[in-house]
Amino acid sequence: MPPHPILSDPRNNRGRRFPIAQRDHLQLHGLVHPASPLSLHHQVAFAISRLRSLPTPLAKYEYLLRLVNSDEQLFFSVAQSHLSAVLPFIYTPTVGDACLNFPTLDIPLRGVWLSLPLSGAIASVLRNAARKNNPDSPIDVIVVSDCQRILGLGDLGANGMPIPVGKLLLYSACGGVDPATCLPVVLDVGCNTQSVREDPQYTGIRSTRVVGPKYDNFIDEFITAAKEVFGPSCLIQFEDFANANAARLLEKYRKSVCCFNDDIQGTAAVAVAGIMAAIRVPGVDPDLRNHKFLFIGAGSAGIGIADLMVMALTRLDIPEEQARRQCWFIDSKGLIVQGRGSLSEAKTRYAHPCPPGLLPSSSSDLNDVVAALRPTALIGVSTIPGIFSQHVIQRMAAINHRPIIFALSNPTSKSECSASDAYKFSEGRAVFAAGSPFPPVQLPGMLKTLVPAQGNNSYIFPGVGLGVILSKARYIPDTMLLAAADMLASLVDNSKLSVGCVYPDLDGLLDISAHIAHAVCQHALQLGINGRDVSSLDVDAIRGLMYKPGRDELSV
Ligand SMILES: NC(=O)C1=CN([C@@H]2O[C@H](COP(=O)(O)OP(=O)(O)OC[C@H]3O[C@@H](n4cnc5c(N)ncnc54)[C@H](OP(=O)(O)O)[C@@H]3O)[C@@H](O)[C@H]2O)C=CC1
Ligand SMILES: CC(=O)C(=O)O
Ligand SMILES: [Mg+2]
């Protein structure tokens, strides 16, 4: 029995900040210290210095997760006021470590595991979970994963819970969505990684993954139950599904359910925004029509980015077929070209005639492909660390005055190259972005410090989610993601571009999300797919509607 229920209620617990009057009223004297209350400001400063003093990223992760589960207002005050200091520990790369070490972590997580044996009862389980979250709040957004492709780390089964939890922390910290309205969900449908499944501490179901109709029916039960329990406007974000299911499920539900796939569509929007900003960097060809994109990785992220890029190109009056020919792909079997056997429908759309000098059947070396195709941009979504080798980067820099190099695979250990290698091997000319954070780089003899951008869908999904929630959009067309990309690109100012950084400051993410949400609301209105009249919502009004921790706390 806790000393007082309010102290174990993260939403209402104020810990050492309870004012005297409230301590009197709630009989909290003696239960919270010290005798004279601390201010939120004071506690934020303390939390940041505590965070900095912890020895490992995982220790910082545990500290922050304990904080959000004991004092939500304090956690989100810390996160919103020190975003770039907190983000790497609640999100990529540390969230990858948290999944890998999940059984050893001692933290409460607010998500719900929907295990296969619960089939037939998913609606009631969701009701229970929502009640636990906050009995008075509706659920506006679910991030759901079956955890088969956790970042670039593979199938981690039920241990992947930190992913939906982390994404939803960002919804509130960066998107101003009330945490009480967020529900992280893991679909526990088996795990194909034997070492994970057979770990004595593993708490998921101990079988290989269910597939076929059994899997599809379970997903269907979840989607139907979520709509029934939380209403049709509850947003469902699919996260870290393996390629074989990601696009298929998106196609199945995208018109009938308010949903999107973050790895396909969120990543597409952030990458296209990055390219739109990159063509404004001095020395990069400013005409998108003159660019050639070579994707390394033809999975959810790669195909998603290319599809949105084609949409952006066709706005410039380029026929779709021609726009596709600006996008080339390498997958695990080499360059995707016409005549290569057994290509998926998505890959076939980007299979072009084999360029002279390359053999269609060989697993082509990236260096040779770069030499033959002469791309202006390399986009890495392959999970293969270091595949952008010294030779590859040097060749890109020999072909292009300012080569665009995006190493988007996560976490850091899977990055196609580091920021310092991209800059070093291109003599500081690369326009570089990475999925995970890299520190600024100072090259010998160069006055300017180069600032690598973090090309991560965290720039997109919180704002898109907020816009969808506000407008009650009935569904989420790709054009909405393009509107978000346009907005994000427009927020990159020239001072960032001058140091090679193609995204705005991460610390401004709340404001960026307000702008993206506005673009999303406007787009929903234009298409007539809004379920709520948002015609009078400008960016200021959206800012006013965003969740702000500590709003109700008096300065003491
Ligand atoms: N920065 C960001 O915001 C985001 C980053 N990502 C990251 O992107 C990565 C990929 O994600 P996702 O697309 O969903 O994963 P998928 O599994 O869907 O795709 C991976 C792709 O990489 C290809 N591949 C594997 N090995 C090689 C190789 N040696 N050379 C070239 N290609 C190879 C695979 O080939 P094949 O098709 O033959 O199997 C496949 O096409 C992950 O690390 C993920 O964390 C994802 C989403 C957002
Ligand atoms: C960022 C992200 O969504 C991923 O790496 O999967
Ligand atoms: Mg993801």
Side-chain angles (χ1 to χ4, degrees):
M1 181 70 180
H4 193 296
I6 201 167
L7 298 178
S8 52
D9 169 6
R11 183 132 180 112
N12 294 308
N13 180 25
R14 302 288 181 271
R16 296 170 177 204
R17 304 187 306 286
F18 275 116
I20 297 294
Q22 241 173 330
R23 294 182 188 198
D24 291 341
H25 177 66
L26 296 168
Q27 300 183 335
L28 290 172
H29 288 291
L31 302 179
V32 284
H33 307 276
S36 67
L38 300 177
S39 69
L40 185 58
H41 181 73
H42 183 115
Q43 280 207 294
V44 167
F46 176 80
I48 284 292
S49 83
R50 175 101 182 92
L51 182 68
R52 294 205 166 115
S53 74
L54 292 168
T56 63
L58 213 46
K60 294 177 202 273
Y61 178 81
E62 290 184 296
Y63 171 68
L64 290 166
L65 266 286
R66 279 197 208 106
L67 190 59
V68 73
N69 287 295
S70 61
D71 186 342
E72 198 175 274
Q73 300 260 351
L74 177 55
F75 169 83
F76 285 110
S77 299
V78 170
Q80 288 196 349
S81 60
H82 294 76
L83 199 54
S84 56
V86 166
L87 211 58
F89 305 111
I90 54 171
Y91 193 59
T92 189
T94 309
V95 72
D97 278 349
C99 295
L100 290 170
N101 294 286
F102 190 70
T104 68
L105 300 182
D106 180 22
I107 39 164
L109 287 174
R110 47 180 68 191
V112 58
W113 281 268
L114 299 178
S115 286
L116 202 59
L118 295 169
S119 298
I122 297 302
S124 68
V125 179
L126 287 177
R127 268 189 205 98
N128 290 345
R131 216 174 298 129
K132 178 183 148 212
N133 216 27
N134 185 345
D136 307 321
S137 290
I139 294 297
D140 284 337
V141 53
I142 290 174
V143 174
V144 60
S145 182
D146 75 353
C147 308
Q148 192 170 4
R149 193 288 272 143
I150 293 293
L151 308 175
L153 303 169
D155 184 354
L156 299 183
N159 291 349
M161 181 57 97
I163 293 290
V165 167
K167 291 275 174 183
L168 284 167
L169 292 179
L170 266 57
Y171 260 88
S172 307
C174 316
V177 174
D178 187 333
T181 67
C182 301
L183 185 65
V185 172
V186 160
L187 302 174
D188 176 24
V189 290
C191 175
N192 291 345
T193 305
Q194 192 178 356
S195 56
V196 170
R197 200 175 60 228
E198 292 182 354
D199 178 342
Q201 312 231 55
Y202 184 60
T203 50
I205 59 168
R206 289 178 187 275
S207 60
T208 55
R209 285 184 175 269
V210 287
V211 292
K214 213 170 167 192
Y215 175 85
D216 285 359
N217 291 343
F218 191 65
I219 302 280
D220 227 35
E221 186 186 343
F222 160 67
I223 297 277
T224 309
K227 279 172 51 169
E228 178 196 318
V229 176
F230 306 126
S233 57
C234 174
L235 165 63
I236 297 178
Q237 173 171 324
F238 292 105
E239 193 68 49
D240 288 11
F241 283 72
N243 187 232
N245 292 319
R248 194 175 66 80
L249 294 177
L250 179 62
E251 279 319 305
K252 183 167 173 186
Y253 294 111
R254 63 182 307 161
K255 284 284 168 61
S256 56
V257 176
C258 177
C259 68
F260 73 106
N261 182 300
D262 187 36
D263 301 296
I264 300 175
Q265 296 164 289
T267 313
V270 80
V272 168
I275 296 291
M276 291 195 290
I279 60 174
R280 288 166 41 213
V281 170
V284 177
D285 190 323
D287 190 342
L288 204 55
R289 287 170 290 204
N290 296 334
H291 282 267
K292 192 184 279 179
F293 306 99
L294 177 57
F295 293 85
I296 295 76
S300 305
I303 297 287
I305 300 168
D307 285 351
L308 200 67
M309 182 59 77
V310 167
M311 193 180 268
L313 283 163
T314 52
R315 289 191 306 192
L316 305 173
D317 289 334
I318 299 179
E320 192 171 317
E321 187 50 39
Q322 192 181 324
R324 284 206 196 119
R325 290 185 71 145
Q326 289 182 236
C327 301
W328 289 76
F329 279 90
I330 293 181
D331 66 5
S332 66
K333 297 184 185 66
L335 185 64
I336 293 179
V337 288
Q338 278 175 7
R340 213 187 87 175
S342 61
L343 290 174
S344 65
E345 185 277 328
K347 288 179 181 177
T348 306
R349 280 188 274 129
Y350 293 98
H352 311 308
C354 187
L358 290 176
L359 295 173
S361 57
S362 73
S363 71
S364 355
D365 176 72
L366 177 54
N367 208 20
D368 296 339
V369 176
V370 169
L373 284 179
R374 300 177 67 78
T376 55
L378 282 188
I379 300 178
V381 273
S382 65
T383 75
I384 306 298
I387 196 167
F388 295 171
S389 64
Q390 175 172 354
H391 285 316
V392 167
I393 298 166
Q394 282 171 337
R395 200 170 283 270
M396 281 297 287
I399 296 168
N400 301 284
H401 178 51
R402 300 295 306 266
I404 298 170
I405 299 183
F406 287 2
L408 299 183
S409 288
N410 292 320
T412 319
S413 60
K414 302 290 176 186
S415 189
E416 283 80 6
C417 68
S418 66
S420 59
D421 281 357
Y423 293 135
K424 191 167 65 189
F425 300 135
S426 67
E427 296 142 352
R429 288 183 282 125
V431 178
F432 178 80
S436 298
F438 280 97
V441 176
Q442 179 81 58
L443 289 182
M446 228 180 145
L447 288 179
K448 243 186 229 174
T449 299
L450 300 164
V451 182
Q454 189 176 349
N456 193 293
N457 49 32
S458 53
Y459 274 109
I460 292 290
F461 69 80
V464 168
L466 177 65
V468 166
I469 292 167
L470 290 175
S471 63
K472 288 192 181 289
R474 280 188 282 279
Y475 66 96
I476 303 176
D478 284 333
T479 48
M480 193 177 266
L481 276 304
L482 192 53
D486 285 338
M487 177 51 75
L488 178 58
S490 77
L491 297 174
V492 188
D493 63 38
N494 290 341
S495 67
K496 301 296 288 178
L497 297 176
S498 71
V499 287
C501 185
V502 293
Y503 295 105
D505 265 342
L506 264 178
D507 278 315
L509 246 177
L510 260 179
D511 206 50
I512 293 165
S513 298
H515 281 89
I516 291 178
H518 183 245
V520 165
C521 287
Q522 291 299 308
H523 195 74
L525 275 170
Q526 258 169 33
L527 298 186
I529 58 171
N530 55 309
R532 181 189 274 155
D533 181 11
V534 279
S535 51
S536 62
L537 272 192
D538 59 14
V539 175
D540 270 344
I542 290 176
R543 281 193 195 105
L545 292 172
M546 290 167 98
Y547 165 76
K548 185 103 189 71
R551 227 175 219 166
D552 60 341
E553 288 196 32
L554 297 174
S555 214
V556 288

